[in-house]
Amino acid sequence: MAACASAGAVRVSENPPGPPEDRFADLGAGEVRERSAAERFQELDERDPEPQPAPPRPARPSGAYAWVVGIAFVIALIVAGANALRHSGAGYRGIPAGKRLAPFAAPLATSNHNNDASIQPGAGGGHPAACSVQMGGVVNLCDLRSRPLVLTFVATGGGGCNAQLDRVNRVRRAFPGVGFVGVISRTSLSDAGKMVRSHDWGFPVAFDRDAAVFNLYGIGDCPTTIFARRGGISAGTRRGNLSDAQLSADVRALAQGRPIQ
């Protein structure tokens, strides 16, 4: 009987089973509250922020607009070029009437002073003022301003403009009260001296070795003649060749104090 009872008894496990698994324990009694949709979106934004849109790019001009702007730019260049051509040489028109002639001292073409002309208005840089250059073999404008003056500029680059000095030599004899001066550039001192002697020009001819006087007086044409009243005030500039009659008429007007026509 006892053996049967032992055989029919239920075997008890040495480790008693724990409490049954509560599959709903994660809900708890208010321990973890379900998050609202707004909270979930906020967490999402913090963890993976939405990329900000790039700033808008400036609108590119349309093809038609770019074409118009390009044409306008080309037209502006053409107008600027035309203005430059129209005003080219404006600084090479001699000395306007009413302007004072700038002083200069330059070697005579028949001298042995193979030097540049002095055009300094005042002393400076270790050099004297042009008016202070007083020595033999030098043409000094400051010494010639006490009477009306005719200056004829020629360059030996061609064109036969040296013949204007021949006309000056013929006309000057009729106007003893007027001074006449020639200025030669674009040649050597030796060739300039030979030219003066071969033509027997009886008035002083200055040698402008580096064309400083040409530039100072705005000479761009060969020949160019500048007429100056007493005191070195310009009465006007003539560019190009003047006949004996034209030159005589201008010198007569200068001597009489009349406008140069």
Side-chain angles (χ1 to χ4, degrees), residues 50-181:
E50 183 178 355
Q52 297 298 318
R57 300 178 62 182
R60 299 183 61 182
S62 64
Y65 175 78
W67 181 83
V68 171
V69 171
I71 291 297
F73 179 71
V74 172
I75 292 175
L77 288 179
I78 293 174
V79 171
N83 287 334
L85 288 175
R86 184 169 64 250
H87 294 291
S88 63
Y92 294 97
R93 298 183 182 276
I95 306 298
K99 298 293 184 179
R100 184 179 297 276
L101 271 59
F104 71 85
L108 278 169
T110 53
S111 74
N112 59 358
H113 302 309
N114 193 12
N115 304 101
D116 296 336
S118 172
I119 59 173
Q120 287 198 182
H127 301 285
C131 287
S132 300
V133 181
Q134 301 288 337
M135 58 187 301
V138 171
V139 179
N140 195 313
L141 178 80
C142 302
D143 298 336
L144 304 172
R145 296 183 295 192
S146 60
R147 58 177 179 167
L149 185 63
V150 178
L151 295 96
T152 303
F153 294 79
V154 298
T156 59
C161 65
N162 295 338
Q164 185 64 43
L165 293 178
D166 291 327
R167 291 186 281 274
V168 169
N169 199 46
R170 291 192 294 267
V171 168
R172 70 178 181 86
R173 297 183 176 92
F175 302 95
V178 177
F180 294 83
V181 175

Side-chain angles (χ1 to χ4, degrees), residues 10 13 15 26 45 99 149 151 213 233:
V10 178
S13 172
N15 296 321
D26 58 336
D45 287 341
K99 298 293 184 179
L149 185 63
L151 295 96
V213 181
I233 305 300

Side-chain angles (χ1 to χ4, degrees), residues 1 14 38 45 48 66 77 81 103 110 179 202 216 221 224 238 248 256:
M1 179 81 180
E14 295 179 358
D45 287 341
D48 187 14
L77 288 179
T110 53
L216 183 67
D221 292 324
T224 295
R238 297 285 199 202
S248 295
Q256 296 175 354

Side-chain angles (χ1 to χ4, degrees), residues 109 152-165 182-196 198-199 201 205-211 214 219-224:
T152 303
F153 294 79
V154 298
T156 59
C161 65
N162 295 338
Q164 185 64 43
L165 293 178
V183 183
I184 295 180
S185 187
R186 294 186 64 183
T187 188
S188 65
L189 177 64
S190 175
D191 288 344
K194 292 176 182 177
M195 190 183 308
V196 173
S198 64
H199 288 265
W201 293 327
V205 178
F207 174 58
D208 188 17
R209 186 173 72 169
D210 63 349
F214 267 60
I219 306 301
D221 292 324
C222 179
T224 295

